[in-house]
Amino acid sequence: MKLLCKTERMSLVMLDRSSTDLVLDYVIRNRAFLEPWELERNEAYFTRAYQADQLEQEAKKIEEGQLIKAWLMIEDRVVGSISLSNIVRGAFQSCHLGYRMDENLLNRGLMTEGLKAIIAYAFEEMSLHRIEANIMPRNGASLKVVAKLGFYEEGLALKYLKIHGVWEDHIHMVLRNKAME
């Protein structure tokens, strides 16, 4: 477990294979809640072996500079995650943002708190210029979180991601690092 940053109420950490049980507990606990927003998961996803493999793959992508994955921890429990994926350097200096929160901790400002810390890390430590979040129009709670943080809408991506066998439209939300402009 490597500490990425701390907020008032949480630690944002990068986990390795030794934390498989923490991640497995989180995905099982939130299985039904996360289902409408994530890709279709088979039963293997909810096993220790699968989650251990996922953590290893994440570690490789982190090492290659393609990903930052922060697991939100309160005490010794995973309560969510935030990822900066598809990190592109060169002239682009951009990434995609993904996040998910424990169902039992919604509407407490925890995700906003965690995202503020990751945004600061992305802009100040990584020198990224853009963070892009693609959110289904029906996910009002998620749209509210990014709007609160200053993301603006750049448009609608039609049939953008396949979620449970259906190509879903997504609103393309962006936050720019104004210090780089």
Side-chain angles (χ1 to χ4, degrees), residues 25-42:
D25 175 63
Y26 172 78
V27 297
I28 289 172
R29 206 172 59 243
N30 288 284
R31 182 177 184 165
F33 171 67
L34 295 173
E35 186 176 7
W37 315 112
E38 298 187 334
L39 10 134
E40 203 165 351
R41 310 284 190 194
N42 62 29

Side-chain angles (χ1 to χ4, degrees), residues 108-109 111-112 116 141-151:
R108 297 181 189 187
M111 184 52 69
T112 302
K116 281 181 184 176
S142 191
L143 288 166
K144 184 178 172 183
V145 168
V146 295
K148 213 183 327 182
L149 294 167
F151 282 71

Side-chain angles (χ1 to χ4, degrees), residues 93-159:
Q93 299 296 330
S94 183
C95 69
H96 287 108
L97 173 68
Y99 50 92
R100 55 190 180 169
M101 189 74 211
D102 195 302
E103 177 181 21
N104 294 321
L105 295 173
L106 297 178
N107 300 313
R108 297 181 189 187
L110 288 166
M111 184 52 69
T112 302
E113 184 178 315
L115 286 170
K116 281 181 184 176
I118 288 297
I119 290 166
Y121 183 85
F123 287 167
E124 295 165 17
E125 303 297 322
M126 298 175 67
S127 298
L128 292 178
H129 177 248
R130 288 170 64 95
I131 301 173
E132 303 179 15
N134 294 289
I135 302 167
M136 287 183 269
R138 62 186 163 92
N139 192 344
S142 191
L143 288 166
K144 184 178 172 183
V145 168
V146 295
K148 213 183 327 182
L149 294 167
F151 282 71
Y152 62 92
E153 183 177 335
E154 276 197 339
L156 180 67
L158 298 173
K159 311 298 181 207

Side-chain angles (χ1 to χ4, degrees), residues 41-97:
R41 310 284 190 194
N42 62 29
E43 287 305 312
Y45 179 83
F46 301 96
T47 65
R48 190 176 198 290
Y50 189 96
Q51 292 304 319
D53 184 57
Q54 284 291 108
L55 286 166
E56 279 188 15
Q57 289 179 36
E58 287 173 6
K60 286 178 188 167
K61 288 181 181 177
I62 290 167
E63 190 175 302
E64 294 166 354
Q66 299 173 12
L67 172 73
I68 294 294
K69 179 75 172 261
W71 292 92
L72 290 79
M73 303 280 299
I74 295 178
E75 295 171 3
D76 292 328
R77 190 171 204 191
V78 170
V79 298
S81 66
I82 301 171
S83 62
L84 301 176
S85 61
N86 304 319
I87 298 170
V88 179
R89 294 301 189 164
F92 202 37
Q93 299 296 330
S94 183
C95 69
H96 287 108
L97 173 68

